[in-house]
Amino acid sequence: MDTTTTTPATPRPWISSYPEGMRWDAEIDTTPVHEQVLAACAKNPSAVALDFLGGTTTFGDLAKQIIAFAGALQRQFGVTKGTRVAIMLPNTPFYPIAYFGVLRAGGTVVNCNPLYTVPELSHITANAGADVMITLDLQQIFEKGEALLAAGHVKSLVVCHFPNALPLVKKILFSVAKRKDLAQPKKSRFADRITSFGDMIAAKATPDAVVIAPDDVAVQQYTGGTTGIPKGALLTHANIAANMSQIDQWGDGLFYPPSKVVAVLPFFHIFAMTVCMNVPLCNGTQVVMLPRFELKALLNLLTRTRANVLPAVPTLLNAIARADTATAEQLASLEVAISGGAALPDEVRNAFAKKSKALLAEGYGLTEASPVVCCAALRVPSKPMSIGMPLPATDLRFVDVDSGKVVETGEDGELQVKGPQVMPGYFEDPKASADAFMDGWLRTGDVGHIDEDGYVFLVDRIKDLIICSGFNVYPRTIEEALMTHEAVEEVNVIGVPDEYRGEAPVAYIKLRAGQSATEESLKTFLKDKLNKIEMPKEIIFKDALPKTLIGKLSKKELREDYAQTRAAKK
């Protein structure tokens, strides 16, 4: 490919469209995030930092637990600068304590989705070299940690006792009614390699000082890109802090008290880690959490807390918009909803507007950019169907996919990004790191254009990645799982539009001669090989699957086939 580039005639047309008072060249704060959160805790220690199902943690208590946990990590596990520590936790107070504690100890956070299968978690922990994993004693999660211990992918588990996250009455009720849902780490065959999170906090160890450089890695966030094999994006302390500073400025005071930010998106996801946790807590703003998305629980939370900022994915917004049980009164406290993680369909935007008066702003980002690149204005309306404008200190361009030349305003090309939030590369993967950049610009794989006012619009993706409910789903993962079935000869997986999840995987299959299988039997076969998000929405059987001239299975014809079949059914 010819990678010759030209300078755009108008490098930053968005500056003239910025909201009043917003500056593209504003100073970017790169103070490490753990230093920022501890400073916020010291500033107003009696204010509530975390609300979890009605149980609260003050900023003062949060700081004490972060410091104690950091000290215990250093003393008990030898965590030092650069040590990889895996965190496999849903949203609970344990997560921010663990996250900031690891960073204060000098370690690097390796986020792990508790919904991942053991093989997926094995790859991440083994690739990262994360000897210690922090997890929970809920049976479904704990048994995955045990499996990782058994396989030697981690050497030690730090286990949080879930009832300790609950307010007193709920803690008692859970311990009685849900006792069977709790694992018993002390009875595990690996008990000698399991440490209590609570005991570590109780030890009140004082951590040694650690000198952090801007380019030291804070988070190693795994993302599959186009291949489906997760790669560790190296996000430095400066990357993460810069993106927080950019979002903070773009919010124009939105992320400061008395605001309350809803954290129903999981902290282990890069969007929630930054927008739902880091930005508000470092500004002394309360975060109200749910361990997972349930519409009734979210509506009750909004009614109880009167939270006003809701970072969300389109699936969640669609659930609110379509639910008869969601009333305008329950949503009355919402001022701003920020949609990210996947494209926001216009029908969802319109349906949500009928339910809530909140400003609905769409944003865009990717793991490799810590993650936010663009966002619609958060205080005033933006152009419909746009992902907004680049954040302060962020540059972008659109490049012709074939020639590599920068395209004119309004012309479609691949979106490429520069900014202080962009990663230096992937962990121990020089080829993938080189492929991720063109002349120093991060390649996003997304196709779109910028208009004369500097608003960005996306129209397609180069990569085959499927974004399902805001999570990356990789066709290859599903294809490889299906190929292990004895009746399957060929399989090709595509992403299709889905009203609830945004996109969903659909598998096309050619069976071996003389073999038989049903959609139901194959889905049963996949249950222990894929997580729920990866499970195909539909399995379609074909006598032959389309191929390119060189014999490669082609997804293009399958997408056309599915669209035609869907249209014919309407």
Side-chain angles (χ1 to χ4, degrees), residues 306-327:
R306 312 307 294 166
N308 63 315
V309 183
L310 175 64
V313 291
T315 302
L316 190 157
L317 296 168
N318 191 39
I320 293 173
R322 306 296 180 189
D324 294 334
T325 53
T327 66

Side-chain angles (χ1 to χ4, degrees), residues 120-367:
E120 289 171 317
L121 294 166
S122 296
H123 169 76
I124 291 171
T125 52
N127 180 262
D131 290 339
V132 180
M133 170 175 273
I134 305 159
T135 190
L136 202 59
D137 63 356
L138 288 178
Q139 185 64 47
Q140 289 184 326
I141 298 174
F142 178 76
E143 63 187 16
K144 294 179 182 181
E146 269 194 316
L148 294 171
L149 279 177
H153 295 306
V154 297
K155 295 178 180 177
S156 305
L157 290 183
V158 173
V159 179
C160 310
H161 185 46
F162 178 71
N164 286 344
L166 301 171
L168 182 59
V169 174
K170 289 181 180 178
K171 177 178 180 178
I172 295 169
L173 290 174
F174 187 94
S175 298
V176 174
K178 299 283 189 178
R179 183 176 297 174
K180 285 193 274 188
D181 292 342
L182 288 174
Q184 295 182 298
K186 290 183 180 179
K187 294 184 178 180
S188 168
R189 61 192 176 106
F190 303 106
D192 61 330
R193 294 159 61 187
I194 296 173
T195 302
S196 162
F197 179 91
D199 289 348
M200 291 175 67
I201 299 293
K204 296 181 179 179
T206 301
D208 296 330
V210 181
V211 178
I212 299 295
D215 60 354
D216 286 336
V217 178
V219 176
Q220 190 162 310
Q221 188 79 9
Y222 277 79
T223 179
T226 59
T227 66
I229 301 171
K231 303 181 293 292
L234 299 173
L235 304 178
T236 68
H237 283 272
N239 290 154
I240 289 173
N243 202 226
M244 289 165 53
S245 181
Q246 293 166 316
I247 295 164
D248 186 32
Q249 293 178 47
W250 195 250
D252 192 21
L254 181 65
F255 295 99
Y256 285 79
S259 282
K260 295 179 181 179
V261 178
V262 178
V264 62
L265 302 180
F267 291 140
F268 55 75
H269 191 286
I270 188 72
F271 177 32
M273 184 194 83
T274 299
V275 179
C276 299
M277 183 179 72
N278 285 347
V279 173
L281 289 180
C282 288
N283 287 329
T285 297
Q286 185 179 149
V287 173
V288 293
M289 295 175 283
L290 282 176
R292 62 182 179 275
F293 171 60
E294 291 178 347
L295 181 60
K296 183 179 178 182
L298 176 59
L299 294 174
N300 288 342
L301 177 145
L302 291 172
T303 301
R304 178 177 63 81
T305 66
R306 312 307 294 166
N308 63 315
V309 183
L310 175 64
V313 291
T315 302
L316 190 157
L317 296 168
N318 191 39
I320 293 173
R322 306 296 180 189
D324 294 334
T325 53
T327 66
E329 184 180 353
Q330 290 171 310
L331 302 172
S333 66
L334 281 183
E335 295 177 27
V336 179
I338 306 167
S339 179
L344 178 64
D346 199 34
E347 53 266 32
V348 174
R349 185 191 301 272
N350 294 334
F352 184 81
K354 293 177 182 177
K355 276 284 175 73
S356 172
K357 294 181 180 179
L359 186 151
L360 177 52
E362 184 173 6
Y364 166 81
L366 61 165
T367 298

